[in-house]
Amino acid sequence: MVVLRNSQHLASLIDDVLDLSQLEAGQMALDREPVLLTEVIAAASTAVRPLYESKSLYLKLELPVDLPPVLADRTRIREVLLNLLSNAGRFTESGGVTVRVERQRDDLVTSVADTGPGIAEPEQARLFQPFQQLDGTFRRRYGGTGLGLSISKKFVELHGGRMWVESQPGSGATFYFSLPLKLDAPAQAG
């Protein structure tokens, strides 16, 4: 079991490094199609639900039924959501996570809000840099490579959107990402 888990972790790390190198070289193209964000969120939530159940955390989805589709790469946006939901589940010890989507002018904005320990403002900018983590003690306790948020942010930017975090220590963290509703967003990094 340990060997399997370690090999899966190593394979995941290799995939992350390859994704990051393609993104930074401007070599990653998106496979865009009309996507209902609510469907992608529901699928990602199903995938992480065992983590939440194992920790007795709630996972609430507050998704309007009338949201328009976005032109997006379903797989890449699912990866963004899986990363945000996995991180929130790993760092939250009690309470849980709420996912919301709302239309703000020409964008759909998704938020993933947790009841975890929160993040001090000086640490927030570092979160989106490759191989950065809050603290070595967190890495030992919670795992991770420090690549997920960096890659997720680049995926969102590749779609013409943006990603950010709002948090205060002791008050949880809310990660946001926006995706434009317009159909002429950039198709490649660079």
Side-chain angles (χ1 to χ4, degrees):
M1 186 58 106
V2 172
V3 172
L4 175 62
R5 185 174 56 241
N6 287 341
S7 66
Q8 290 171 335
H9 177 74
L10 183 58
S12 176
L13 176 61
I14 291 168
D15 288 344
D16 285 349
V17 170
L18 290 172
D19 281 348
L20 184 63
S21 65
Q22 282 186 320
L23 284 164
E24 290 187 350
Q27 298 298 313
M28 183 169 285
L30 298 177
D31 184 17
R32 291 177 182 261
E33 61 181 321
V35 172
L36 290 174
L37 200 50
T38 53
E39 291 176 359
V40 179
I41 291 169
S45 298
T46 299
V48 299
R49 195 160 300 278
L51 167 65
Y52 285 73
E53 289 172 353
S54 73
K55 295 178 74 176
S56 298
L57 300 173
Y58 65 78
L59 178 56
K60 295 181 187 173
L61 305 181
E62 297 180 2
L63 310 174
V65 295
D66 61 344
L67 291 174
V70 293
L71 191 61
D73 185 319
R74 179 183 307 272
T75 301
R76 299 304 178 198
I77 297 304
R78 183 175 184 270
E79 288 179 42
V80 170
L81 287 158
L82 284 171
N83 181 264
L84 294 176
L85 290 169
S86 296
N87 284 351
R90 284 195 340 244
F91 288 97
T92 301
E93 296 299 325
S94 64
V97 175
T98 302
V99 181
R100 292 182 180 93
V101 179
E102 64 181 79
R103 184 175 184 160
Q104 293 181 2
R105 289 178 283 238
D106 294 329
D107 293 326
L108 288 185
V109 177
T110 301
S111 63
V112 177
D114 66 51
T115 58
I119 305 163
E121 192 171 335
E123 303 292 327
Q124 292 175 19
R126 280 190 358 177
L127 289 174
F128 297 106
Q129 296 172 6
F131 301 104
Q132 294 295 311
Q133 296 182 335
L134 293 179
D135 179 342
T137 59
F138 275 118
R139 185 182 187 325
R140 282 188 294 276
R141 182 171 178 194
Y142 296 104
T145 61
L147 287 172
L149 286 174
S150 174
I151 291 170
S152 293
K153 185 173 190 281
K154 289 181 185 297
F155 282 160
V156 168
E157 290 171 348
L158 197 57
H159 281 84
R162 67 185 191 103
M163 180 179 274
W164 68 100
V165 61
E166 294 177 2
S167 181
Q168 293 181 13
S171 298
T174 303
F175 285 83
Y176 298 87
F177 69 90
S178 65
L179 294 173
L181 289 169
K182 62 185 181 202
L183 301 180
D184 60 342
Q188 287 194 335

